[in-house]
């Protein structure tokens, strides 16, 4: 019997984001982004690494798509750099930016690769940050104009759109703890308002796709949920884990799927609750076609004797990848889909990111034997297979990431790629995990 097969039309892909791979930070009229600025602040990014050159994908995309083709990659999730299209976030459009992405999409087409395009993967135009960034409503309105520009310009190239990538990450890291661009530390009231503006931005992006996108366009949001996994798969622990996941993520999901902020969230905000204008929640909760999930990790939950539940702390030396937050919990991918399905019933799910950074061994005989990464992905995929096998509407999987790339505050030292990048020469070398994943995609089966 053939095991671990996927349905015929299951989407296999790889993922990346503009500021992490493109480089060409000042070329062809691109405006400065908050990451271009932030990376220059002393002590903010490991090794002082900047996104200036990154993987030089801006000049090497033809080579990169040819490599994707050789590996049998048929779907590629990328993001557009907002400051390439609207350099200062205002009304001015940079035609050279549009031309670049048209060349890019043409090249993808020639290589048989379907684009899945994220409007916002964290590279806000610096000029908008100077005018208040996500703290102000005007940024969501500027985002609406940018999304309209992009949806119109690329309507013949792109059908699958993702509005924003991981709202809680860029708000939390960027505006609460100052670890990501723009490096701010704001009080609760400002954060809640900024969060509301990102939800508005999501709504505006959905409208832009509906209004200006080509025929058959689809759109959804990508979230990084806090994923609660039952310690034992018994009804009591499952119910406990679902309640925990519901509580941790309701403010991210209820506005989009139910058109309201949850009462508990508003209570927790107290006097810092966001200002919501008439029509906002309607805009935010327009129907979408799918929910994207970036899944890396999770935590274990169990029901307590009597009533209530507890989240278990990870004991010392629990298996993790190169980041402390990257605890290896393969079941998180199954439980994220299942809980979310039961709670919110999105029309479909895509795993828009999953993958891991590990210290790779040096190449021996020209091969990088990255068994950690291979095994990480394989174990998570087994859990995708389980979800699909149980009839949950998970339609695709994108591995993060195709190339080693600019890992934000960790710079170039952390490598998530299935293809190694030698930054000194920009040489690409597929790792063992790439060869393996190519076989998975080709056979539509975990091997
Ligand atoms: C993704 O974010 C990004 O979309 C992608 O650009 C990035 O390269 C990739 O992951 C790898 O990092 O509060 O200490 O538990 C993942 C972001 C990081 C969000 C960990 C939640 C929890 C940190 N996640 N974070 S902690």
């Amino acid at each position: 019997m053939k095991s671990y097969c996927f349905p015929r039309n299951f989407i296999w892909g790889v993922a990346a984001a503009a500021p992490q791979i493109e480089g060409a930070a000042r070329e062809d009229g691109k405006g400065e982004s908050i990451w271009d600025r932030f990376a220059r602040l002393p002590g903010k990014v490991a090794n002082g690494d900047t996104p200036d050159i990154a993987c030089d994908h801006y000049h090497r995309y033809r080579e990169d798509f040819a490599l994707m083709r050789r590996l049998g990659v048929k779907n590629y999730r990328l993001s557009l750099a907002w400051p390439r299209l609207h350099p200062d976030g205002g009304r001015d459009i940079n035609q050279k930016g549009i031309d670049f992405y048209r060349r890019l999409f043409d090249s993808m087409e020639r290589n048989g690769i379907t684009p899945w395009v994220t409007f916002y993967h964290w590279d806000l135009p610096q000029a908008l940050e100077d005018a208040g960034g996500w703290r102000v409503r005007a940024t969501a309105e500027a985002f609406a104009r940018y999304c309209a520009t992009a949806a119109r310009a690329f309507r013949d190239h792109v059908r699958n759109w993702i509005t924003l990538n991981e709202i809680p990450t860029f708000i939390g890291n960027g505006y609460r703890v100052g670890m990501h661009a723009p490096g701010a530390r704001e009080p609760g009231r400002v954060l809640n308002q900024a969060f509301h503006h990102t939800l508005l931005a999501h709504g505006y992006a959905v409208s832009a796709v509906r209004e200006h996108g080509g025929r058959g366009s689809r759109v959804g949001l990508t979230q990084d949920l806090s994923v609660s996994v039952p310690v034992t798969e018994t009804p009591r622990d499952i119910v406990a884990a679902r309640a925990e996941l519901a509580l941790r993520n309701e403010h991210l999901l209820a506005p989009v799927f139910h058109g309201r902020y949850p009462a508990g969230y508003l209570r927790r905000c107290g006097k810092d609750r966001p200002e919501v204008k008439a029509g906002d929640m309607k805009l935010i909760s327009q129907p979408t076609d799918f929910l994207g999930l970036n899944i890396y990790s999770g935590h274990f939950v169990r029901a307590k004797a009597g009533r209530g539940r507890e989240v278990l702390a990870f004991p010392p030396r629990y298996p993790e990848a190169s980041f402390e937050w990257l605890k290896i919990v393969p079941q998180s991918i199954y439980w994220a889909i299942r809980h979310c399905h039961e709670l919110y019933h999105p029309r479909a799910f895509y795993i828009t990111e999953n993958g891991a950074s590990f210290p790779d061994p040096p190449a021996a005989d020209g091969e990088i034997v990255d068994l950690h990464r291979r095994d990480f992905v394989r174990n998570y995929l087994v859990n995708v297979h389980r979800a699909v096998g149980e009839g949950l509407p998970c339609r695709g999987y994108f591995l993060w990431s195709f190339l080693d790339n600019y890992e934000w505050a960790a710079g170039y030292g952390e490598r998530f790629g299935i293809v190694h990048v030698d930054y000194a020469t920009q040489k690409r070398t597929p790792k063992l995990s790439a060869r393996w994943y190519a076989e998975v995609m080709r056979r539509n089966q975990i091997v």
Side-chain angles (χ1 to χ4, degrees):
M1 194 181 73
K2 263 174 91 182
S3 51
Y4 288 141
C5 284
F6 281 75
R8 209 174 12 83
N9 46 7
F10 192 79
I11 298 288
W12 294 103
V14 293
Q20 296 179 271
I21 61 164
E22 281 183 2
R26 269 175 290 274
E27 256 177 83
D28 289 341
K30 176 179 164 295
E32 188 187 16
S33 82
I34 54 174
W35 272 94
D36 296 328
R37 174 78 60 97
F38 178 76
R40 293 191 153 62
L41 302 176
K44 290 297 186 183
V45 177
N47 200 32
D49 289 344
T50 71
D52 290 6
I53 300 174
C55 307
D56 196 31
H57 179 70
Y58 190 84
H59 299 111
R60 293 168 195 266
Y61 61 88
R62 289 183 197 83
E63 175 196 336
D64 290 336
F65 295 145
L67 177 55
M68 280 190 197
R69 183 193 194 126
R70 285 203 293 286
L71 292 169
V73 174
K74 301 246 160 53
N75 296 278
Y76 171 43
R77 174 177 176 234
L78 67 151
S79 79
L80 305 177
W82 181 355
R84 270 195 210 291
L85 299 187
H86 292 269
D88 62 4
R91 286 172 197 279
D92 292 349
I93 296 177
N94 175 31
Q95 186 58 39
K96 285 187 173 162
I98 293 184
D99 295 343
F100 164 67
Y101 287 113
R102 287 213 173 113
R103 292 197 299 277
L104 188 105
F105 292 132
D106 281 339
S107 174
M108 287 179 67
E109 223 161 286
R110 277 196 294 278
N111 286 288
I113 303 163
T114 301
W116 295 67
V117 177
T118 308
F119 287 112
Y120 189 72
H121 204 124
W122 308 355
D123 46 352
L124 185 72
Q126 179 64 40
L128 289 181
E129 176 55 30
D130 295 340
W134 288 110
R135 302 168 196 83
V136 299
R137 197 174 166 99
T139 293
E141 285 152 9
F143 186 70
R145 290 194 295 273
Y146 151 61
C147 292
T149 301
R152 231 179 306 172
F154 309 127
R155 52 174 294 135
D156 297 330
H157 300 272
V158 180
R159 282 187 52 202
N160 305 292
W161 295 96
I162 293 161
T163 57
L164 294 96
N165 182 68
E166 299 192 353
I167 290 170
T169 306
F170 71 82
I171 291 296
N173 286 346
Y175 289 90
R176 189 168 55 82
V177 297
M179 225 178 76
H180 279 185
R185 287 164 199 257
E186 302 291 356
R189 215 197 61 72
V190 175
L191 290 171
N192 296 335
Q193 195 60 45
F195 175 64
H196 183 66
H197 297 147
T198 65
L199 291 177
L200 275 181
H202 161 75
Y204 281 129
V206 175
S207 300
V209 170
R210 299 293 186 227
E211 208 174 310
H212 305 290
R215 178 131 32 108
S217 292
R218 306 161 69 231
V219 60
L221 171 68
T222 273
Q223 286 291 28
D224 58 318
L225 302 180
S226 181
V227 183
S228 311
V229 175
V231 177
T232 58
E233 295 198 0
T234 54
R236 289 187 42 168
D237 281 358
I238 292 172
V239 166
R242 189 175 70 181
E244 182 66 28
L245 180 138
L247 177 68
R248 285 170 178 250
N249 302 288
E250 59 177 6
H251 61 297
L252 308 174
L253 297 170
V256 172
F257 289 101
H258 296 160
R260 56 173 172 72
Y261 280 113
Y265 169 73
L266 291 176
R267 211 178 320 112
R268 288 192 293 281
C269 288
K271 59 174 183 18
D272 293 335
R273 60 178 56 186
E275 187 197 330
V276 177
K277 292 205 168 143
D280 284 3
M281 299 318 283
K282 202 166 161 212
L283 180 71
I284 291 167
S285 60
Q286 292 172 79
T288 52
D289 302 295
F290 58 86
L291 175 64
L293 296 178
N294 292 352
I295 305 289
Y296 289 90
S297 190
H299 52 268
F300 291 103
V301 174
R302 69 178 169 197
K304 281 218 250 199
R307 58 195 289 275
R309 58 179 187 267
E310 61 180 333
V311 175
L312 302 183
F314 286 103
R317 308 203 50 195
Y318 194 88
E320 63 190 32
S322 293
F323 289 97
E324 211 200 315
W325 56 264
L326 234 174
K327 294 283 186 288
I328 302 177
V329 185
Q331 312 93 299
S332 55
I333 216 162
Y334 167 79
W335 286 103
I337 297 167
R338 173 153 161 201
H339 292 319
C340 254
H341 173 72
E342 290 172 1
L343 292 164
Y344 294 99
H345 297 287
R347 287 187 194 156
F349 291 93
Y350 292 91
I351 301 302
T352 40
E353 286 180 27
N354 172 243
S357 165
F358 288 104
D360 288 330
D365 298 328
E367 198 192 14
I368 296 164
V369 183
D370 60 335
L371 286 175
H372 286 96
R373 181 175 297 98
R374 199 296 295 256
D375 227 47
F376 180 102
V377 172
R378 191 177 192 284
N379 288 328
Y380 279 67
L381 270 185
V382 166
N383 281 275
V384 176
H385 184 265
R386 177 183 177 194
V388 173
E390 290 180 14
L392 295 166
C394 177
R395 308 285 182 232
Y397 173 94
F398 294 80
L399 198 158
W400 184 275
S401 184
F402 184 61
L403 302 174
D404 290 335
N405 61 52
Y406 185 65
E407 181 48 31
W408 309 113
Y412 297 104
E414 292 295 343
R415 295 174 176 271
F416 278 80
I418 55 173
V419 173
H420 177 267
V421 176
D422 174 3
Y423 292 106
T425 61
Q426 290 294 348
K427 185 174 186 302
R428 277 70 163 138
T429 310
K431 305 176 190 178
L432 175 144
S433 57
R435 309 265 175 228
W436 168 80
Y437 190 55
E439 203 57 26
V440 171
M441 293 185 288
R442 197 173 71 75
R443 293 175 185 261
N444 198 24
Q445 177 187 18
I446 305 173
V447 291

